[in-house]
Amino acid sequence: MNDRPGVGAWFRPAVLGLHLFAIAAIGFCLFMGTWQLGAYDQRQEDERAEAGETSAAVPLESVWGPGDIFTTDQDQRPVTVTGTFRPASEQLWVTDREQDGATGVWLLAPVTVGDAQLMVVRGWAPEASATFPDVPVGETSFEAVLQPGEESASGWDPTARTIGSVRIPTLLNELGYADLWSGFAISTDPAVAGGLDVAEVPEADVSWTAGGRNLGYGLQWWVFAAFALFMWWRMAREMVLGRDR
């Protein structure tokens, strides 16, 4: 004897009403969840835009010193750097830098500012060259955006003078300078680029907790949708099996 209910039992008026209610409930939960997650994404975008807003450049020494730890107060801060570039032969290439959809290199140059060397990204090129562009002569002032030292592996090659990241401890050990500033700067001045493209400043990092309430609500609504689906299946099955007994 076959105890399985017929297909028609799932389309009785009472069960159809449950189907329609479940569709409406699940659809509403999915809509609300998607809306909340969209609000979370928008909050993240707003935070990035706010962090990346361009403010007037201030003298470097007014916001940061060579012996100071790099903090969020300096991160993405536009400044005016005044210093002297060290010889062109002391420059190096930072590999795997994306710009306008292409992968290339940064030209990184040490600039004497105060009693320490500040590493400055002069510009971007499609590939590293065996020769380095000449550096500006004498004391030079230019605008730049401050960046924290990178934490990833450095990949230092002293022969090609290439490095995989602007990791300050590695640069301090390998370049032999008495002292380095604890972060670096990306020049926004075409005159400093030495014929290269001005390097793009990376987007500011934004904590995932920005808009966290929207994220939490969005996940809750998706959980509600899953619960509604479970309850629909359970109630519909009981109604069909109960009628079929």
Side-chain angles (χ1 to χ4, degrees), residues 21-34 225 228:
F21 178 80
I23 291 172
I26 294 172
F28 177 76
C29 291
L30 293 178
F31 169 78
M32 292 299 296
T34 303

Side-chain angles (χ1 to χ4, degrees), residues 154-180:
S154 58
W156 168 243
D157 183 344
T159 302
R161 291 196 68 81
T162 60
I163 193 167
S165 63
V166 190
R167 190 169 186 273
I168 302 302
T170 299
L171 292 170
L172 184 61
N173 292 333
E174 299 294 346
L175 299 183
Y177 299 131
D179 198 9
L180 282 179

Side-chain angles (χ1 to χ4, degrees), residues 44 47-52 72 75-76 147-150 202-208 210:
Q44 290 277 302
E47 289 287 325
R48 275 189 284 270
E50 183 177 342
T72 55
D75 194 7
Q76 299 286 336
Q147 299 285 300
E150 298 176 345
E203 285 189 346
D205 290 331
V206 176
S207 172
W208 68 271

Side-chain angles (χ1 to χ4, degrees), residues 48-206:
R48 275 189 284 270
E50 183 177 342
E53 285 181 354
T54 303
S55 56
V58 297
L60 172 64
E61 291 85 346
S62 69
V63 295
W64 188 31
D68 297 339
I69 297 175
F70 193 96
T71 69
T72 55
D73 291 336
Q74 286 83 42
D75 194 7
Q76 299 286 336
R77 187 67 182 268
V79 295
T80 300
V81 178
T82 301
T84 305
F85 281 82
R86 293 184 66 88
S89 59
E90 296 185 23
Q91 298 176 107
L92 56 153
W93 302 104
V94 185
T95 59
D96 296 327
R97 299 292 137 163
E98 292 189 2
Q99 182 152 316
D100 294 331
T103 301
V105 293
W106 277 350
L107 176 61
L108 189 67
V111 180
T112 302
V113 182
D115 297 326
Q117 311 306 315
L118 174 67
M119 303 306 295
V120 174
V121 175
R122 293 182 59 191
W124 179 91
E127 58 184 5
S129 172
T131 58
F132 291 108
D134 293 334
V135 297
V137 178
E139 187 174 78
T140 305
S141 292
F142 56 92
E143 291 190 1
V145 178
L146 298 180
Q147 299 285 300
E150 298 176 345
E151 297 296 329
S152 57
S154 58
W156 168 243
D157 183 344
T159 302
R161 291 196 68 81
T162 60
I163 193 167
S165 63
V166 190
R167 190 169 186 273
I168 302 302
T170 299
L171 292 170
L172 184 61
N173 292 333
E174 299 294 346
L175 299 183
Y177 299 131
D179 198 9
L180 282 179
W181 290 63
S182 58
F184 67 103
I186 298 179
S187 170
T188 57
D189 189 341
V192 171
L196 306 181
D197 294 337
V198 174
E200 293 179 352
V201 177
E203 285 189 346
D205 290 331
V206 176

